[in-house]
Amino acid sequence: ADSPNERINVASIGVGGRGSGIGRQAAGLGNMVACCDVDSQHAERFAARIDGNCATYTDYRKLLDRKDIDAVTVGTPDHWHVKISIDAMRAGKDVYCEKPLTLTIDEGKQICRVVKETGKVFQVGTQQRSENEQRFLKAVAIARSGRLGDKLHALSSVGEASSGGPFNVTKPPTNLDWDMWQGQAPETGYMAERTHHNFRWWQEYSGGQVTDWGVHHTDIALWALGLDETGPTKISGKGTFNKQQDCYNVAKSFDCMMDFDGGHQIQLTSGGNELVITGDQGKIRVNRGGLTGKPVDEIAASAEETDWLNDEVEKLYRKMRIAGHMQNFFDCIKSRELPISDVYTHHRSVSACHLANIAMILDRELTWDPKKEDFVGDAEATSMLSREQRKPYTVDA
Ligand SMILES: NC(=O)C1=CN([C@@H]2O[C@H](COP(=O)(O)OP(=O)(O)OC[C@H]3O[C@@H](n4cnc5c(N)ncnc54)[C@H](OP(=O)(O)O)[C@@H]3O)[C@@H](O)[C@H]2O)C=CC1
Ligand SMILES: O=C1CO[C@H](CO)[C@@H](O)[C@@H]1O
């Protein structure tokens, strides 16, 4: 391990649930010198658990002004990911940002441009690419080998979203900067149920389970099917939405189908939590708890095939050391390589989830041109590639 003097200086922005988890991982690999949260109590709680001097901020722009910070983690709600990440890269920092990276498809195009423009190292927090005993990497390798068949169907299944409301507007707590919390989102009265983990049940800040958990399995599905640099051509789906005022309003249950050139399909549905990949030659099932299926058993029974699978995993990980998702970020900061969950493939993964939401909201089949990254002949759908953003929190790139 590097000595404190050789370690880079890191800072964490958004230190609630997951943000404090990735912040602590980063603190184990670098010198954690600052943190920021619009809820000052969250920032103080995080800083108190760090050895040494971790300064606290409630405005991330002040933290980014510091020249001694080399890299940041971003664990805010989704509607802040792109703005903070772009500002951080332009301030010269490498970035590890949580998934789902974007709120809209246009934000994805913007952040890809800025990663290219600045040459910064950018890791997205889709840790299934690195962790869980490489089960997902093995599933990807098996699917990509052709062993399951040529035309594959991936069922990306995640839990339903929470329902609740109507909720009441109250006074924001004094430890919270509510204006900053809302950022680009439409201004509204404070409701405790919009904050502290629950942002993910509101379309204003998130795509619900479709993007929150959906992007984890859909990311692996696209990789497994060799579609991680493209997108579907047809998208259709049904979702149940609560349209009442002041209620959680993301799709509670959903079932969407995405068709790709070449005959592959990805189905994104609410139900259990697993990715099932099926072809005419076989079927495998993977989630964080296991990788199962006849092809998996056959490989495990053969030393030669087991070696083959381990080699394929190494190649998929581009021969980088596999030692955790945050470690991969730190390794890439040194080597300047593309991290394993790079911005370009993640943009495609989260775009697929956004497309599923748009098809459900419009309640019709959509035709998508994955090269142009636009709908074909559908101005209403095209208008949903971006959102109006509240000033001064607009994303400019
Ligand atoms: N990869 C993974 O396994 C996981 C990833 N995630 C991702 O992490 C992100 C955070 O989720 P989660 O931890 O559940 O949410 P939390 O609400 O627990 O944490 C978000 C924190 O960010 C704060 N915040 C909001 N806006 C800003 C801002 N502009 N600047 C600084 N801080 C801000 C929030 O304040 P307040 O508390 O007042 O809302 C809160 O403290 C999400 O994008 C989620 O998808 C989450 C879980 C696991
Ligand atoms: O992996 C995950 C675990 O669950 C969280 C929801 O509570 C998700 O946000 C997250 O991506």
Side-chain angles (χ1 to χ4, degrees), residues 10 23 64 72 243:
V10 288
L64 292 182
V72 297
K243 296 193 172 140

Side-chain angles (χ1 to χ4, degrees), residues 248-297:
Y248 293 152
N249 57 17
V250 295
K252 179 171 165 55
S253 60
F254 45 90
D255 190 18
C256 303
M257 189 62 85
M258 294 180 249
D259 289 286
F260 294 78
D261 278 347
H264 292 313
Q265 285 187 316
I266 297 182
Q267 187 177 355
L268 178 49
T269 190
S270 52
N273 184 302
E274 60 182 6
L275 175 64
V276 182
I277 306 176
T278 312
D280 58 4
Q281 312 284 312
K283 174 175 176 170
I284 55 172
R285 174 188 172 279
V286 64
N287 65 16
R288 294 184 190 174
L291 168 64
T292 55
K294 201 159 159 248
V296 180
D297 297 339

Side-chain angles (χ1 to χ4, degrees), residues 99 127 197 200 212-213 216 288:
K99 47 48 65 182
Q127 79 277 21
H197 181 89
R200 47 172 59 70
D212 185 58
W213 253 103
H216 280 302
R288 294 184 190 174

